[in-house]
Amino acid sequence: MSSTTKIEPLGAVRERVLATLRQDIIAGRLRPGDRLVERELAERLGVSRVPVREAIRALVVEGFVHFESARRTVVRRLTPADVKELFELREALEVYAAGLAAARATPEDLAEVERLLDQAATATEAGDAEAITDVNSRLHDRIVAMAGNSLLLEALEPVAGRLRWMTRRNEEWPQLLVEHRELYEAIASGDPARARAHALAHVQTNYRSTVRQLFGEAAAEEGP
């Protein structure tokens, strides 16, 4: 081994493994019901079993996986109740954040959202599901940050990954792009009431689309 070779700290390995597994679940490479086997994952990722074990425990806390038994860990199967509860939280917090963003956004904030919308349009045209999910998540994160309320960020952070996982199932991408542009315009207008109204409509539409993709048309009739 070269004397200049750097050994990656265990904590950094664990975070890398956690990020990889989380993204595999969000993107659908690991599907609901799939078993997570430490040995197999360690071999695939080129690490020891210790960071894999720690990453799996973190994914349990984040709500992505659960222990079916002491020796069997699987990707969680989403239920209608799971989706409804998360979208109820999203409705409460993101609608409020949009109103604050309309009142507090700077020109630099708005320029950043425009840049993200351009990226979303490119990804939508290409039909790149993973890129669409990533940029749309960053766009929502930016709007919450524009609200200028650190407690809002802290309240959403524990469930951000699960929301991303669920909304990835909404593949009505051109409609999402239209809604995000309308939400941006409402925030840019500086009118908090208009921004809240567009944010509410967006969350409710996204809820119905997500439920329709996961559970069928009948389940989409009930709102969050």
Side-chain angles (χ1 to χ4, degrees):
M1 181 183 294
S2 169
S3 60
T4 60
T5 299
K6 293 183 178 180
I7 298 176
E8 190 176 10
L10 181 60
V13 175
R14 180 259 191 189
E15 289 302 317
R16 175 167 58 82
V17 171
L18 174 58
T20 298
L21 295 180
R22 185 193 295 119
Q23 186 57 31
D24 282 349
I25 294 171
I26 290 171
R29 290 185 287 271
L30 286 171
R31 303 181 63 81
D34 283 356
R35 186 180 179 189
L36 276 63
V37 180
E38 287 181 13
R39 174 181 49 78
E40 294 176 357
L41 292 172
E43 290 176 359
R44 175 164 72 86
L45 298 173
V47 299
S48 73
R49 294 173 65 169
V50 173
V52 172
R53 185 178 306 123
E54 292 179 351
I56 288 174
R57 288 172 180 164
L59 290 170
V60 171
V61 174
E62 292 181 12
F64 285 101
V65 306
H66 71 105
F67 298 116
E68 281 193 341
S69 69
R71 302 179 65 85
R72 184 178 177 83
T73 307
V74 300
V75 178
R76 184 175 177 179
R77 293 178 175 86
L78 296 171
T79 69
D82 292 330
V83 180
K84 187 172 184 179
E85 287 179 358
L86 276 167
F87 271 86
E88 285 173 343
L89 179 64
R90 184 180 173 191
E91 181 178 304
L93 298 182
E94 288 194 8
V95 171
Y96 181 57
L100 291 178
R104 299 174 178 176
T106 66
E108 292 77 17
D109 288 329
L110 296 174
E112 175 63 13
V113 175
E114 286 187 11
R115 186 182 70 82
L116 290 170
L117 285 170
D118 288 342
Q119 291 181 10
T122 299
T124 299
E125 185 175 351
D128 186 337
E130 199 156 347
I132 291 168
T133 302
D134 177 67
V135 71
N136 284 346
S137 296
R138 286 190 286 126
L139 188 150
H140 278 279
D141 290 346
R142 186 62 181 175
I143 290 172
V144 174
M146 286 161 56
N149 187 312
S150 61
L151 291 179
L152 274 175
L153 289 169
E154 290 176 12
L156 279 166
E157 196 276 333
V159 298
R162 273 184 286 169
L163 280 170
R164 192 173 184 181
W165 183 25
M166 290 185 187
T167 56
R168 165 66 179 83
R169 272 62 194 166
N170 177 7
E171 296 186 351
E172 298 173 9
W173 300 322
Q175 178 61 28
L176 277 175
L177 182 60
V178 169
E179 291 173 20
H180 285 156
R181 282 177 169 155
E182 291 175 346
L183 178 57
Y184 161 75
E185 290 168 2
I187 291 171
S189 76
D191 182 344
R194 178 182 170 189
R196 287 193 296 269
H198 277 276
L200 177 60
H202 172 56
V203 171
Q204 292 178 340
T205 299
N206 193 222
Y207 169 79
R208 289 190 293 271
S209 298
T210 301
V211 170
R212 186 162 49 245
Q213 289 289 330
L214 287 170
F215 309 113
E217 190 68 42
E221 296 303 317
E222 296 184 22

